[in-house]
Amino acid sequence: QSFHCKHGKAYLFSKVVNVSVGGAEERNMMTGLHTVADIFCVGCGSIVGWKYETAHEKTQKKEGKSVLERFKVSGPNGSQYWVSQEAHLGGSDGDDA
């Protein structure tokens, strides 16, 4: 599925690798209130997306799934999708659609 975040496209995955999970917090997303945790690249420590821990709306079926923001992930040839690397500044924006 395709999602949108502050920096453009993001994608929902059932499983991601080479990431660590931060602490869970409640965030009001476009689809309602969710408990989410930022996910970090194990190589560089940058936030690359977030993981849905709990959906407070029972119609949402994202629990346990992760969203990766396209611009924060390396392409298949090793090129970077983002224009300038973002420092490790804080949580993801959580603007999924």
Side-chain angles (χ1 to χ4, degrees):
Q1 287 183 333
S2 180
F3 287 71
H4 287 85
C5 63
K6 180 170 58 174
H7 299 103
K9 289 185 179 184
Y11 300 94
L12 183 69
F13 293 90
S14 295
K15 181 180 178 181
V16 294
V17 296
N18 298 324
V19 298
S20 61
V21 181
E25 62 183 47
E26 288 190 348
R27 293 189 191 150
N28 194 17
M29 314 278 265
M30 291 178 69
T31 55
L33 185 64
H34 297 274
T35 303
V36 299
D38 287 326
I39 52 178
F40 303 87
C41 171
V42 295
C44 69
S46 295
I47 296 173
V48 293
W50 63 92
K51 179 178 180 181
Y52 287 100
E53 300 290 343
T54 307
H56 297 276
E57 304 260 339
K58 296 304 175 197
T59 59
Q60 296 296 312
K61 302 193 189 256
K62 300 175 198 168
E63 290 183 3
K65 296 184 180 181
S66 299
V67 174
L68 295 179
E69 298 182 41
R70 180 180 173 184
F71 87 104
K72 294 183 178 181
V73 180
S74 295
N77 64 355
S79 65
Q80 304 300 317
Y81 285 118
W82 65 85
V83 176
S84 62
Q85 272 191 312
E86 180 178 280
H88 191 98
L89 295 175
S92 63
D93 51 40
D95 291 336
D96 63 328

